[in-house]
Amino acid sequence: MRTVIEPFKIKSVEPIALTTREQREKLIKNAFYNTFYLKSEDITIDLLTDSGTTAMSAKQWGKIMEGDESYAGSKSYYKFENAVKDFTNFKHIIPTHQGRAAERILFSVLGGKGKYIPNNTHFDTTRANIEYAETTAVDLPGEDGTNPEKLGDFKGNLNIAALETLIKKVGKENIPVCMLTVTNNSGGGQPVSMKNIRETKNLLKKYGIPLYLDCCRFAENAYFIKMREKGYKNKSIKEITREMFSYADGCTMSAKKDGLSNTGGFIGTNDDEIAGKAKTLLIITEGFITYGGLARRDLEALAVGFEEVFDENYLKYRIEQVKYFGDKLMESGVPILVPTGGHAVYLNAKRFASHIKPEHYPGQSITCEIFKVGGIRVVEIGSVMFGKKDAKGKHIAPPMELVRCAVPRRVYTNTHIDYTVEAITEVYKNRKKLKGMKISWEPEFLRHFTAKFDYI
Ligand code: F0G
């Protein structure tokens, strides 16, 4: 059979809002034209994020009842720890309530003035946590990684030559760690090849710099390796994952993605000194070392999620659903970042709304219009999220202007996807009417979450 089906049936359903265009125009205006301010009860299809929005399985819900809510030494923690060690093989597994807590702790331990932390592309919270620790975050995407129109199997790869140049320029003693984000979220959910992970490690080894994976979507990355990289076709996802982690000295993970759960994260490391310092910070800010800010029942759900995510039928459905979404948009002529990534379709806002300059936020304008047309919530990943200002206040745009339509795991059917494609296609047909935007208020860090907008 050629049709790829959801490898599950639906046991429990949740109603979604169906609103009129008139209502949606008011709702988005009242939300200051920022989709983060919308109430979920007013949204028809929520593609804001694939993080923590997973539908859990009956087995996960069952295990939640078994949560051992002891403060210290909970049975649930050991199940979680075993599940994580099984694929990472790290010596220390330190739970946190979500990924950014793991980042804050790790970079508080490793960062500091005059230090640099490279990555293929830092995710927004990763960059913010590094900068908050007065450290410089450096993005080193591969050549094709910032070209949304160029096809490629592993556009998430890190530019190894650029990494060596950086090491020589700033000195190996000033790079406490090199990160590698799998898949590369800010770069379009694109995978990193095993070859690139291995070669990054080999270079870092020469200089004595540890490699840490930002591994939120490790299973999706492993699936792409199996499908696209020579020599991996007959390997299981678990084997591929283990090899990926074998090159790393540690990791941070937001388990809200490939942990197939609604919350959680962790730091993994083989370094006793880093682990010791991280555990102290964990106790100060998150909780004891056997729960790290999570209810122990959440650790139960994660332990099961880390079994289910290795199911190849699940991963096939997952990657194919995102591809189906991207293919349908392309059939309608909508410009998207190609090829489609693991967890989202990214609209190429620069081509979609080519009449709007980056400093007038084309992606934000598209995002608002998609809500007005279909009640669909998506998010800008471009000048709003990553734009900076030079000393004279001139806008410095990031390499790409994108709008991310993230697909929650096991939540929407392909009919929901068809509806979304219809709405986006309509916005595209009327693209000439899209207007540029300005920011009327913004906070100091991570402005996209709470900034307020207006049309110019
Ligand atoms: N790293 C990456 C690559 C991520 O995609 C995220 C979160 C984090 C770290 C932080 O994890 O949210 O658990 O604190 N990404 C979500 C998203 C928010 O929508 O892409 P967190």
Side-chain angles (χ1 to χ4, degrees), residues 48-51 97-101 103 121 123-126 181-186 214 216-217 252-257 264 343 379 404 406 449:
L48 182 71
T49 179
D50 64 317
S51 178
H97 78 276
Q98 62 180 88
R100 68 198 70 181
E103 292 165 356
T121 313
F123 182 63
D124 59 355
T125 60
T126 322
T181 305
V182 295
T183 57
N184 187 357
N185 186 6
S186 312
D214 176 346
C216 314
R217 300 176 180 87
T252 55
M253 177 165 191
S254 166
K256 298 168 73 176
K257 285 89 172 170
H343 66 293
V379 69
R404 189 183 73 171
F449 287 118

Side-chain angles (χ1 to χ4, degrees), residues 67-75 290-291 296:
D68 164 12
E69 299 300 338
S70 305
Y71 185 96
S74 161
K75 266 193 301 210
T290 54
Y291 76 88
R296 275 55 78 203

